[in-house]
Amino acid sequence: MLQNLFIENYALIEKLDIRFSKGFSVITGETGAGKSIMLGALSLILGARADTKVLKNESRKCIIEGSFSIENYNLESFFSENDLDYEAESLLRREIAPSGNSRAFINDTPVNLNVLKQLGDRLVNIHSQHETYTLNDANFQLAVVDSFSGIDADLKIYQEKYFNYKKLLKTLGDLKDLDSKAKTDMDYVQFQFEELHKANLQSHEQQQLEDDLKLLSHAEEIKLALVEASEKLENSEINTLDLLSDIQKSMSKIAILHPDTEEISERITSCLIELKDVSRELNLIEESVSVDPMKLTEVSERLDLIYQLQQKHRLNSVEELIDLRELLDQQLQSMSSIDDQIESLSKQVKLEEEALNTLAMGLSETRRKSCSAIEESIINKLKQLGMPDARFSVLLEPMPELGREGFDRIKFLFNANKGSALNEISRIASGGELSR
């Protein structure tokens, strides 16, 4: 039910806000008062196309909003199928910019015009001498039969299962697409993984290797400097330790004679102890440094491999390469399990389809039983409207596959003339006959 209609900057209307109360509402007025303009504005939020000619002020956009109470319309599945938020009171909005661009919204979610039209067709029926749209619409005809048959509850159950079934089908299709792509990419992913796996990368090894390379590359220079320092400290004919030792002995002798030299003597002793310790450490370091061309080559080659892998994959550290290796391993495992997932999901889809077929056949049977009663009721009413020879029939045709309403396609067949063949109502009925 339309509860509120807001129109701004449309045709002759600057701004209009109408609230419809419950029951029957009538809008009357003289020719040119704007009744048809309001209907045209309403049609915009029902999915009709528009252009900038509808703008009253061409420098501002046109806004049409309609608030609908849809609690009893069984539209939950429609909202779910189109990823829309379902609300018992839903807002349809249309905006036409001065540039000609049009935007549509359902409950503040942007939608394309086709979705807006599908919802609009289920909310509003427009009847006039020349615009009896819904009577010719196959969906409306089916809705008439369903309403007469009283299968709303069963149809709602079917549509909920049908929506879940369609989601499963989409998931299955996505899996199959992924499987096809995965098989195309699998050789390349496998090659990349094996290359990284063979490299046997270890966390933090790059820094250690770079330190080792620096040491091995300058081993001779380092060793020479250490030997030279050690020689000057204690191994040369005139070495620092001997000289400092002699100084320390001299100062010790006079320390008891001159108090001011006692502290200096102690400081010299400390320096001597410290330098002896330094000399020992220099010797140890010098012994640990070795000139090893083979080790240098090994470290250089290892670093070259790491740098090549980083450049190839556009990464900056061994840790990132290890993460990539784990990701590739997961992808390979995922690829190998896709076939199992497809097989399992295919079985689930088959079971859902069988259950849907059962429900759809039940809907078809109920509809079929109602057809003769509908035909009799409509023919009786047409006779009361001055069409004694009118004939009317409901044709129930099966569709090749399951649809949102089940298996059935409905066609209303009609002929007002005695002895003439029945034909689809949209092809044979005149405007007056359609109105009746």
Side-chain angles (χ1 to χ4, degrees), residues 110-126:
V111 296
N112 61 47
L113 204 56
N114 185 51
V115 173
L116 187 67
K117 187 177 186 309
Q118 289 179 29
L119 180 59
D121 288 344
R122 298 173 186 222
L123 296 178
V124 176
N125 298 332
I126 298 177

Side-chain angles (χ1 to χ4, degrees), residues 317-335:
S317 67
V318 169
E319 286 70 30
E320 290 179 348
L321 287 172
I322 292 173
D323 290 341
L324 176 60
R325 182 186 66 196
E326 298 303 317
L327 177 62
L328 293 172
D329 187 30
Q330 292 174 11
Q331 287 180 358
L332 289 171
Q333 293 179 24
S334 176
M335 288 174 184

Side-chain angles (χ1 to χ4, degrees), residues 45-224:
I45 57 172
L46 302 179
R49 299 195 174 276
D51 56 39
T52 54
K53 293 179 181 179
V54 303
L55 302 180
K56 175 178 173 59
N57 183 338
E58 294 184 358
S59 66
R60 295 189 294 113
K61 67 181 178 181
C62 165
I63 300 173
I64 314 292
E65 286 185 347
S67 176
F68 293 85
S69 175
I70 62 172
E71 190 173 4
N72 299 317
Y73 282 57
N74 296 325
L75 290 171
E76 291 88 348
S77 61
F78 176 86
F79 278 74
S80 296
E81 287 174 21
N82 292 283
D83 293 325
L84 298 170
D85 295 328
Y86 175 82
E87 296 180 15
E89 186 171 328
S90 288
L91 185 69
L92 278 61
R93 178 183 176 93
R94 187 82 177 275
E95 298 178 359
I96 296 94
S99 63
N101 293 332
S102 170
R103 296 197 300 167
F105 304 85
I106 297 176
N107 291 333
D108 293 327
T109 299
V111 296
N112 61 47
L113 204 56
N114 185 51
V115 173
L116 187 67
K117 187 177 186 309
Q118 289 179 29
L119 180 59
D121 288 344
R122 298 173 186 222
L123 296 178
V124 176
N125 298 332
I126 298 177
H127 302 274
S128 72
Q129 173 72 16
H130 302 291
E131 294 182 340
T132 317
Y133 296 125
T134 52
L135 188 57
N136 293 328
D137 182 70
N139 291 325
F140 175 76
Q141 295 174 4
L142 182 60
V144 170
V145 174
D146 287 348
S147 177
F148 192 93
S149 304
I151 60 172
D152 288 348
D154 292 338
L155 182 60
K156 185 176 181 180
I157 293 171
Y158 169 84
Q159 288 178 339
E160 288 174 353
K161 292 187 69 66
Y162 177 76
F163 175 64
N164 291 330
Y165 167 73
K166 294 294 285 186
K167 285 207 312 188
L168 285 175
L169 273 183
K170 184 180 184 305
T171 303
L172 181 60
D174 292 343
L175 267 180
K176 289 180 177 179
D177 290 342
L178 180 63
D179 183 49
S180 177
K181 185 178 184 300
K183 287 175 179 175
T184 302
D185 297 341
M186 193 167 188
D187 289 343
Y188 180 60
V189 174
Q190 184 73 44
F191 170 77
Q192 287 185 310
F193 171 75
E194 289 178 356
E195 184 179 48
L196 290 170
H197 181 70
K198 185 178 179 181
N200 193 27
L201 300 169
Q202 304 298 319
S203 183
H204 307 300
E205 70 167 312
Q206 184 174 350
Q207 185 60 53
Q208 183 61 51
L209 287 168
E210 289 173 345
D211 292 342
D212 291 347
L213 179 65
K214 187 186 299 182
L215 180 62
L216 290 166
S217 299
H218 301 87
E220 292 184 358
E221 180 184 347
I222 295 170
K223 200 171 185 67
L224 181 61

